[in-house]
Amino acid sequence: VMGMPGLDDDLQARTWKVASQAYRLSGRLEEAKSLIEDAIAIHHKLGNKRQEGVCIGALGGICGNMGMMTETSEHLQHALAIAREVGNRVHEGVVLSNLGTLHTDLGMTAEASDYFNSALDIHQEVGDLDSEVHVLNALGNLHRNLGRPSEAQELYDRGHVIAKRAKLLALEGTVLGNLGLLLHEQGRSAEARRHHDRALAIHRETGNRRSEAIVLNGLGNICRDRGELAGAKGYYEQALEIAVEAHLLPLEGVLLGNLAMLARDLGRPEESWALGQEALVINRKIGNRRSEGHTLHNQGVLCRDQGRPEEAREYFERASEIYHEIGAIDLEGKAQRLLGKAYEDEDRIEEARRE
Protein backbone atom coordinates (compact mmCIF):
# COMPACT_ATOMS: atom_id res chain seq x y z
CA VAL A 1 0.00 0.00 0.00
CA MET A 2 2.80 2.39 0.91
CA GLY A 3 4.03 4.87 -1.69
CA MET A 4 1.56 4.03 -4.46
CA PRO A 5 2.56 6.11 -7.52
CA GLY A 6 -0.11 7.90 -9.50
CA LEU A 7 -2.52 8.44 -6.58
CA ASP A 8 -3.36 11.99 -5.53
CA ASP A 9 -3.06 12.77 -1.83
CA ASP A 10 -6.77 12.46 -1.04
CA LEU A 11 -7.11 9.07 -2.73
CA GLN A 12 -3.89 7.91 -1.09
CA ALA A 13 -5.25 8.85 2.34
CA ARG A 14 -8.56 7.09 1.69
CA THR A 15 -6.69 3.98 0.49
CA TRP A 16 -4.57 3.95 3.64
CA LYS A 17 -7.72 4.26 5.78
CA VAL A 18 -9.26 1.18 4.12
CA ALA A 19 -5.98 -0.75 4.41
CA SER A 20 -5.72 0.27 8.08
CA GLN A 21 -9.15 -1.18 8.78
CA ALA A 22 -8.20 -4.44 7.06
CA TYR A 23 -5.03 -4.68 9.14
CA ARG A 24 -7.02 -3.94 12.31
CA LEU A 25 -9.53 -6.71 11.61
CA SER A 26 -6.71 -9.19 10.98
CA GLY A 27 -5.00 -8.17 14.23
CA ARG A 28 -2.04 -6.33 12.71
CA LEU A 29 -2.52 -3.30 14.94
CA GLU A 30 0.90 -1.66 14.60
CA GLU A 31 0.53 -1.55 10.80
CA ALA A 32 -3.06 -0.33 11.17
CA LYS A 33 -1.96 2.47 13.52
CA SER A 34 0.88 3.58 11.23
CA LEU A 35 -1.38 3.75 8.16
CA ILE A 36 -4.16 5.67 9.84
CA GLU A 37 -1.67 8.18 11.27
CA ASP A 38 -0.37 8.78 7.73
CA ALA A 39 -3.94 9.27 6.50
CA ILE A 40 -4.62 11.78 9.30
CA ALA A 41 -1.51 13.76 8.35
CA ILE A 42 -2.60 13.98 4.71
CA HIS A 43 -6.18 15.05 5.50
CA HIS A 44 -4.83 17.67 7.92
CA LYS A 45 -2.50 19.02 5.23
CA LEU A 46 -5.38 19.18 2.73
CA GLY A 47 -7.69 20.85 5.25
CA ASN A 48 -10.19 18.01 4.93
CA LYS A 49 -11.54 18.31 8.45
CA ARG A 50 -14.37 15.81 8.02
CA GLN A 51 -12.12 12.94 6.90
CA GLU A 52 -9.45 13.91 9.42
CA GLY A 53 -11.99 13.51 12.20
CA VAL A 54 -13.12 10.11 10.90
CA CYS A 55 -9.51 8.89 10.81
CA ILE A 56 -8.78 10.24 14.31
CA GLY A 57 -11.78 8.27 15.55
CA ALA A 58 -10.39 5.14 13.87
CA LEU A 59 -7.03 5.79 15.55
CA GLY A 60 -8.83 5.92 18.90
CA GLY A 61 -10.38 2.53 18.20
CA ILE A 62 -7.01 1.00 17.31
CA CYS A 63 -5.43 2.41 20.46
CA GLY A 64 -8.29 0.90 22.45
CA ASN A 65 -7.56 -2.54 20.95
CA MET A 66 -3.94 -2.07 21.99
CA GLY A 67 -4.86 -1.20 25.59
CA MET A 68 -3.68 2.43 25.29
CA MET A 69 -6.59 3.87 27.25
CA THR A 70 -5.32 7.43 27.76
CA GLU A 71 -4.55 7.84 24.06
CA THR A 72 -7.90 6.26 23.19
CA SER A 73 -9.79 8.81 25.27
CA GLU A 74 -7.84 11.74 23.83
CA HIS A 75 -8.35 10.66 20.21
CA LEU A 76 -12.05 9.91 20.68
CA GLN A 77 -12.75 13.25 22.37
CA HIS A 78 -10.86 15.02 19.55
CA ALA A 79 -12.85 13.09 16.93
CA LEU A 80 -16.13 13.91 18.72
CA ALA A 81 -15.32 17.63 18.71
CA ILE A 82 -14.55 17.55 14.97
CA ALA A 83 -17.70 15.56 14.16
CA ARG A 84 -19.83 18.14 15.95
CA GLU A 85 -17.93 21.04 14.36
CA VAL A 86 -18.48 19.78 10.79
CA GLY A 87 -21.97 18.37 11.44
CA ASN A 88 -21.06 14.73 10.76
CA ARG A 89 -23.91 13.10 12.69
CA VAL A 90 -23.09 9.58 11.53
CA HIS A 91 -19.55 9.76 12.85
CA GLU A 92 -20.66 11.58 16.00
CA GLY A 93 -22.79 8.54 16.80
CA VAL A 94 -19.92 6.14 16.12
CA VAL A 95 -17.55 8.07 18.39
CA LEU A 96 -20.12 8.30 21.19
CA SER A 97 -20.50 4.52 20.97
CA ASN A 98 -16.73 4.02 21.18
CA LEU A 99 -16.59 6.32 24.21
CA GLY A 100 -19.27 4.12 25.76
CA THR A 101 -17.09 1.06 25.19
CA LEU A 102 -14.07 2.82 26.70
CA HIS A 103 -15.98 3.83 29.83
CA THR A 104 -17.38 0.30 30.14
CA ASP A 105 -13.83 -1.07 30.17
CA LEU A 106 -12.89 1.52 32.80
CA GLY A 107 -15.79 0.44 35.02
CA MET A 108 -17.59 3.79 34.62
CA THR A 109 -20.98 2.25 33.86
CA ALA A 110 -23.19 5.32 34.32
CA GLU A 111 -21.07 7.34 31.89
CA ALA A 112 -20.94 4.40 29.48
CA SER A 113 -24.74 4.11 29.48
CA ASP A 114 -25.12 7.83 28.74
CA TYR A 115 -22.71 7.62 25.79
CA PHE A 116 -24.40 4.50 24.38
CA ASN A 117 -27.91 5.94 24.63
CA SER A 118 -26.82 9.20 22.99
CA ALA A 119 -25.22 7.17 20.21
CA LEU A 120 -28.34 5.02 19.78
CA ASP A 121 -30.52 8.12 19.33
CA ILE A 122 -28.26 9.36 16.54
CA HIS A 123 -27.99 5.96 14.80
CA GLN A 124 -31.77 5.63 14.72
CA GLU A 125 -32.14 9.24 13.54
CA VAL A 126 -29.79 8.76 10.55
CA GLY A 127 -30.79 5.15 9.79
CA ASP A 128 -27.34 3.65 10.45
CA LEU A 129 -28.37 0.03 11.03
CA ASP A 130 -24.82 -1.31 11.38
CA SER A 131 -24.02 1.10 14.20
CA GLU A 132 -27.45 0.65 15.79
CA VAL A 133 -26.81 -3.10 16.16
CA HIS A 134 -23.36 -2.39 17.57
CA VAL A 135 -24.81 -0.13 20.28
CA LEU A 136 -27.70 -2.47 21.13
CA ASN A 137 -25.13 -5.23 21.60
CA ALA A 138 -22.92 -3.01 23.77
CA LEU A 139 -25.89 -1.95 25.93
CA GLY A 140 -26.80 -5.61 26.26
CA ASN A 141 -23.31 -6.34 27.54
CA LEU A 142 -23.57 -3.48 30.01
CA HIS A 143 -26.87 -4.72 31.45
CA ARG A 144 -25.64 -8.33 31.52
CA ASN A 145 -22.55 -7.34 33.50
CA LEU A 146 -24.75 -5.36 35.90
CA GLY A 147 -26.86 -8.45 36.59
CA ARG A 148 -29.91 -7.40 34.53
CA PRO A 149 -30.49 -10.43 32.28
CA SER A 150 -34.00 -9.48 31.10
CA GLU A 151 -32.86 -6.08 29.84
CA ALA A 152 -29.79 -7.65 28.25
CA GLN A 153 -31.91 -10.31 26.48
CA GLU A 154 -34.25 -7.66 25.04
CA LEU A 155 -31.34 -5.58 23.70
CA TYR A 156 -29.54 -8.59 22.19
CA ASP A 157 -32.76 -9.80 20.56
CA ARG A 158 -33.39 -6.37 19.00
CA GLY A 159 -29.85 -6.29 17.65
CA HIS A 160 -30.07 -9.84 16.32
CA VAL A 161 -33.32 -9.14 14.44
CA ILE A 162 -31.84 -6.07 12.74
CA ALA A 163 -28.55 -7.84 11.91
CA LYS A 164 -30.33 -10.80 10.28
CA ARG A 165 -32.78 -8.58 8.39
CA ALA A 166 -29.99 -6.31 7.09
CA LYS A 167 -27.65 -9.27 6.40
CA LEU A 168 -24.95 -7.85 8.70
CA LEU A 169 -23.16 -11.18 9.11
CA ALA A 170 -20.23 -10.05 11.26
CA LEU A 171 -22.51 -8.24 13.70
CA GLU A 172 -24.88 -11.19 13.79
CA GLY A 173 -21.91 -13.28 14.95
CA THR A 174 -21.07 -10.77 17.67
CA VAL A 175 -24.64 -10.67 19.02
CA LEU A 176 -24.95 -14.47 18.90
CA GLY A 177 -21.74 -14.79 20.91
CA ASN A 178 -23.05 -12.47 23.61
CA LEU A 179 -26.43 -14.18 23.65
CA GLY A 180 -24.46 -17.37 24.22
CA LEU A 181 -22.75 -15.80 27.24
CA LEU A 182 -26.11 -14.72 28.67
CA LEU A 183 -27.63 -18.17 28.16
CA HIS A 184 -24.58 -19.74 29.79
CA GLU A 185 -24.97 -17.50 32.84
CA GLN A 186 -28.61 -18.63 33.08
CA GLY A 187 -27.54 -22.28 33.12
CA ARG A 188 -28.73 -23.00 29.56
CA SER A 189 -25.39 -24.42 28.45
CA ALA A 190 -26.61 -26.47 25.45
CA GLU A 191 -28.27 -23.39 23.88
CA ALA A 192 -25.24 -21.29 24.75
CA ARG A 193 -22.94 -23.77 23.01
CA ARG A 194 -25.05 -23.65 19.82
CA HIS A 195 -24.92 -19.85 19.75
CA HIS A 196 -21.16 -19.85 20.32
CA ASP A 197 -20.50 -22.45 17.63
CA ARG A 198 -22.50 -20.42 15.08
CA ALA A 199 -20.76 -17.20 16.14
CA LEU A 200 -17.33 -18.85 15.84
CA ALA A 201 -18.13 -20.05 12.31
CA ILE A 202 -19.21 -16.54 11.30
CA HIS A 203 -16.10 -14.86 12.71
CA ARG A 204 -13.83 -17.34 10.96
CA GLU A 205 -15.73 -16.82 7.71
CA THR A 206 -15.44 -13.02 7.97
CA GLY A 207 -11.83 -13.08 9.24
CA ASN A 208 -12.56 -11.17 12.43
CA ARG A 209 -9.75 -12.46 14.65
CA ARG A 210 -10.64 -10.36 17.70
CA SER A 211 -14.24 -11.60 17.74
CA GLU A 212 -13.04 -15.14 17.10
CA ALA A 213 -10.86 -14.95 20.21
CA ILE A 214 -13.74 -13.54 22.28
CA VAL A 215 -16.00 -16.46 21.29
CA LEU A 216 -13.22 -18.98 21.99
CA ASN A 217 -12.94 -17.45 25.46
CA GLY A 218 -16.70 -17.86 25.90
CA LEU A 219 -16.48 -21.51 24.87
CA GLY A 220 -13.67 -21.94 27.40
CA ASN A 221 -15.92 -20.51 30.11
CA ILE A 222 -18.72 -22.92 29.20
CA CYS A 223 -16.36 -25.92 29.33
CA ARG A 224 -14.84 -24.80 32.64
CA ASP A 225 -18.22 -24.41 34.30
CA ARG A 226 -19.25 -27.86 33.05
CA GLY A 227 -16.07 -29.38 34.48
CA GLU A 228 -14.58 -30.04 31.04
CA LEU A 229 -11.23 -28.60 32.07
CA ALA A 230 -9.11 -29.98 29.22
CA GLY A 231 -11.55 -28.51 26.69
CA ALA A 232 -11.55 -25.18 28.51
CA LYS A 233 -7.75 -25.07 28.45
CA GLY A 234 -7.72 -25.70 24.70
CA TYR A 235 -10.18 -22.90 23.97
CA TYR A 236 -8.44 -20.41 26.28
CA GLU A 237 -5.03 -21.17 24.77
CA GLN A 238 -6.34 -20.78 21.20
CA ALA A 239 -7.86 -17.42 22.18
CA LEU A 240 -4.68 -16.30 23.97
CA GLU A 241 -2.58 -17.16 20.91
CA ILE A 242 -4.77 -14.89 18.78
CA ALA A 243 -4.75 -12.11 21.40
CA VAL A 244 -0.95 -12.12 21.67
CA GLU A 245 -0.42 -12.38 17.91
CA ALA A 246 -2.90 -9.56 17.25
CA HIS A 247 -1.66 -7.35 20.13
CA LEU A 248 -5.11 -7.39 21.78
CA LEU A 249 -3.85 -6.44 25.24
CA PRO A 250 -7.26 -6.08 26.98
CA LEU A 251 -8.30 -9.54 25.82
CA GLU A 252 -4.89 -10.96 26.76
CA GLY A 253 -5.43 -9.75 30.33
CA VAL A 254 -8.86 -11.40 30.51
CA LEU A 255 -7.52 -14.69 29.14
CA LEU A 256 -4.54 -14.83 31.48
CA GLY A 257 -6.97 -14.33 34.36
CA ASN A 258 -9.19 -17.14 33.09
CA LEU A 259 -6.20 -19.44 32.66
CA ALA A 260 -5.17 -18.58 36.23
CA MET A 261 -8.57 -19.70 37.55
CA LEU A 262 -8.41 -22.84 35.41
CA ALA A 263 -4.95 -23.72 36.74
CA ARG A 264 -6.37 -23.40 40.25
CA ASP A 265 -9.18 -25.81 39.30
CA LEU A 266 -6.54 -28.22 37.97
CA GLY A 267 -4.67 -28.17 41.28
CA ARG A 268 -1.71 -26.14 40.03
CA PRO A 269 -1.47 -23.27 42.53
CA GLU A 270 2.01 -22.03 41.52
CA GLU A 271 1.00 -21.80 37.85
CA SER A 272 -2.29 -20.14 38.83
CA TRP A 273 -0.49 -17.55 40.96
CA ALA A 274 2.00 -16.68 38.19
CA LEU A 275 -0.72 -16.34 35.55
CA GLY A 276 -2.80 -14.23 37.92
CA GLN A 277 0.07 -11.84 38.58
CA GLU A 278 0.60 -11.44 34.81
CA ALA A 279 -3.09 -10.71 34.38
CA LEU A 280 -3.05 -8.11 37.17
CA VAL A 281 -0.16 -6.22 35.54
CA ILE A 282 -2.03 -5.99 32.23
CA ASN A 283 -5.45 -5.18 33.70
CA ARG A 284 -4.04 -2.42 35.88
CA LYS A 285 -2.05 -1.00 32.98
CA ILE A 286 -5.11 -0.69 30.74
CA GLY A 287 -7.65 0.03 33.50
CA ASN A 288 -9.85 -3.05 33.00
CA ARG A 289 -11.45 -2.95 36.44
CA ARG A 290 -13.81 -5.91 36.04
CA SER A 291 -11.06 -8.27 34.92
CA GLU A 292 -8.79 -6.94 37.67
CA GLY A 293 -11.49 -7.78 40.22
CA HIS A 294 -11.80 -11.34 38.90
CA THR A 295 -8.05 -11.88 39.18
CA LEU A 296 -7.81 -10.37 42.67
CA HIS A 297 -10.58 -12.78 43.68
CA ASN A 298 -8.56 -15.71 42.29
CA GLN A 299 -5.40 -14.64 44.10
CA GLY A 300 -7.34 -14.32 47.33
CA VAL A 301 -8.68 -17.87 47.01
CA LEU A 302 -5.14 -19.14 46.41
CA CYS A 303 -3.88 -17.34 49.52
CA ARG A 304 -6.71 -18.75 51.61
CA ASP A 305 -6.11 -22.29 50.32
CA GLN A 306 -2.45 -21.95 51.31
CA GLY A 307 -3.24 -20.79 54.87
CA ARG A 308 -2.39 -17.09 54.28
CA PRO A 309 -5.60 -15.41 55.57
CA GLU A 310 -4.17 -11.90 55.96
CA GLU A 311 -3.10 -11.77 52.31
CA ALA A 312 -6.39 -13.40 51.28
CA ARG A 313 -8.31 -10.69 53.16
CA GLU A 314 -6.40 -7.94 51.34
CA TYR A 315 -7.15 -9.45 47.93
CA PHE A 316 -10.85 -9.98 48.72
CA GLU A 317 -11.14 -6.42 50.07
CA ARG A 318 -9.67 -4.96 46.89
CA ALA A 319 -11.86 -7.18 44.69
CA SER A 320 -14.96 -6.18 46.65
CA GLU A 321 -14.10 -2.47 46.34
CA ILE A 322 -13.73 -2.77 42.57
CA TYR A 323 -16.99 -4.69 42.16
CA HIS A 324 -18.75 -2.03 44.25
CA GLU A 325 -17.29 0.77 42.12
CA ILE A 326 -18.40 -0.80 38.83
CA GLY A 327 -21.84 -1.81 40.12
CA ALA A 328 -21.30 -5.60 39.91
CA ILE A 329 -23.52 -6.39 42.90
CA ASP A 330 -23.53 -10.19 42.55
CA LEU A 331 -19.74 -10.36 42.31
CA GLU A 332 -19.37 -7.95 45.22
CA GLY A 333 -21.55 -10.27 47.30
CA LYS A 334 -19.34 -13.27 46.49
CA ALA A 335 -16.19 -11.34 47.38
CA GLN A 336 -17.76 -10.14 50.64
CA ARG A 337 -18.65 -13.70 51.65
CA LEU A 338 -15.08 -14.86 51.06
CA LEU A 339 -13.81 -11.79 52.88
CA GLY A 340 -15.86 -12.87 55.90
CA LYS A 341 -14.33 -16.35 55.74
CA ALA A 342 -10.84 -14.85 55.59
CA TYR A 343 -11.58 -12.88 58.77
CA GLU A 344 -12.77 -16.12 60.42
CA ASP A 345 -9.54 -17.83 59.33
CA GLU A 346 -7.50 -15.02 60.89
CA ASP A 347 -9.46 -15.30 64.15
CA ARG A 348 -8.86 -19.07 64.30
CA ILE A 349 -5.13 -18.64 63.71
CA GLU A 350 -4.97 -15.92 66.37
CA GLU A 351 -6.81 -18.17 68.84
CA ALA A 352 -4.42 -21.03 68.08
CA ARG A 353 -1.45 -18.73 68.74
CA ARG A 354 -2.88 -17.66 72.10
CA GLU A 355 -3.39 -21.28 73.12
Side-chain angles (χ1 to χ4, degrees):
V1 178
M2 300 298 289
M4 296 171 70
L7 291 183
D8 63 34
D9 283 345
D10 183 65
L11 184 54
Q12 182 101 56
R14 291 173 186 270
T15 302
W16 280 344
K17 179 178 178 291
V18 172
S20 173
Q21 177 67 359
Y23 278 133
R24 182 183 177 188
L25 287 174
S26 64
R28 297 168 63 181
L29 297 180
E30 291 292 349
E31 293 101 319
K33 184 171 181 288
S34 177
L35 285 171
I36 205 67
E37 286 171 342
D38 288 341
I40 291 167
I42 291 174
H43 286 310
H44 183 75
K45 182 181 76 173
L46 295 173
N48 189 342
K49 197 92 169 179
R50 187 183 186 91
Q51 284 301 317
E52 182 185 354
V54 170
C55 290
I56 290 171
L59 177 60
I62 293 166
C63 288
N65 292 153
M66 298 172 75
M68 303 163 63
M69 297 308 192
T70 300
E71 293 86 346
T72 300
S73 180
E74 290 172 354
H75 293 315
L76 291 178
Q77 291 294 349
H78 188 188
L80 182 62
I82 292 175
R84 287 172 171 166
E85 178 185 341
V86 302
N88 188 344
R89 290 287 278 169
V90 171
H91 194 240
E92 180 183 351
V94 170
V95 176
L96 285 166
S97 174
N98 288 338
L99 281 164
T101 300
L102 173 65
H103 284 78
T104 299
D105 290 343
L106 295 173
M108 302 168 69
T109 53
E111 293 87 346
S113 182
D114 288 343
Y115 279 123
F116 284 138
N117 282 302
S118 295
L120 186 60
D121 289 342
I122 292 174
H123 297 324
Q124 291 173 337
E125 171 196 323
V126 301
D128 185 350
L129 294 179
D130 190 305
S131 296
E132 183 178 350
V133 174
H134 176 82
V135 173
L136 288 169
N137 179 68
L139 278 167
N141 291 343
L142 191 67
H143 283 285
R144 180 170 58 80
N145 289 332
L146 289 171
R148 301 168 185 164
S150 298
E151 293 91 334
Q153 177 85 50
E154 180 193 353
L155 289 158
Y156 289 146
D157 286 343
R158 285 169 59 191
H160 188 227
V161 168
I162 296 170
K164 278 190 72 71
R165 185 186 303 145
K167 295 182 170 58
L168 302 170
L169 187 60
L171 278 171
E172 182 185 352
T174 299
V175 177
L176 283 171
N178 287 321
L179 269 168
L181 291 174
L182 180 64
L183 290 167
H184 171 59
E185 289 165 3
Q186 294 174 326
R188 298 155 66 184
S189 58
E191 293 174 79
R193 182 62 183 263
R194 286 196 295 274
H195 279 74
H196 274 89
D197 286 342
R198 174 61 182 147
L200 186 61
I202 289 173
H203 294 319
R204 285 176 170 166
E205 179 182 341
T206 57
N208 191 329
R209 298 284 278 164
R210 178 176 180 273
S211 293
E212 179 185 351
I214 289 171
V215 173
L216 287 167
N217 179 55
L219 285 165
N221 291 340
I222 290 173
C223 287
R224 179 173 173 249
D225 286 351
R226 293 174 65 172
E228 301 167 6
L229 302 187
K233 189 170 188 291
Y235 283 125
Y236 287 149
E237 287 178 345
Q238 285 182 67
L240 182 60
E241 183 178 344
I242 293 172
V244 172
E245 177 188 311
H247 306 291
L248 301 171
L249 196 60
L251 187 54
E252 184 181 345
V254 170
L255 285 159
L256 285 168
N258 285 344
L259 280 165
M261 289 185 279
L262 180 65
R264 194 185 79 222
D265 294 341
L266 289 166
R268 301 171 185 167
E270 294 84 4
E271 180 183 345
S272 179
W273 182 264
L275 287 164
Q277 293 303 107
E278 283 187 70
L280 281 176
V281 169
I282 292 175
N283 291 321
R284 284 169 176 162
K285 177 180 178 182
I286 65 176
N288 189 332
R289 301 285 279 160
R290 188 179 187 87
S291 189
E292 181 185 352
H294 288 331
T295 309
L296 287 167
H297 187 117
N298 178 73
Q299 304 302 80
V301 172
L302 286 170
C303 288
R304 186 165 182 254
D305 289 347
Q306 294 170 2
R308 295 149 56 194
E310 290 184 11
E311 291 175 72
R313 173 175 53 77
E314 290 174 4
Y315 279 109
F316 292 139
E317 283 176 346
R318 284 153 60 195
S320 180
E321 287 168 6
I322 288 173
Y323 291 143
H324 181 76
E325 288 170 15
I326 66 176
I329 298 170
D330 55 335
L331 295 173
E332 182 185 359
K334 291 178 183 177
Q336 285 285 342
R337 285 191 290 276
L338 285 171
L339 178 59
K341 290 184 182 298
Y343 275 117
E344 290 172 8
D345 293 341
E346 284 188 90
D347 289 342
R348 278 195 293 271
I349 289 173
E350 185 59 34
E351 285 173 13
R353 283 177 183 157
R354 284 198 296 269
E355 289 173 2

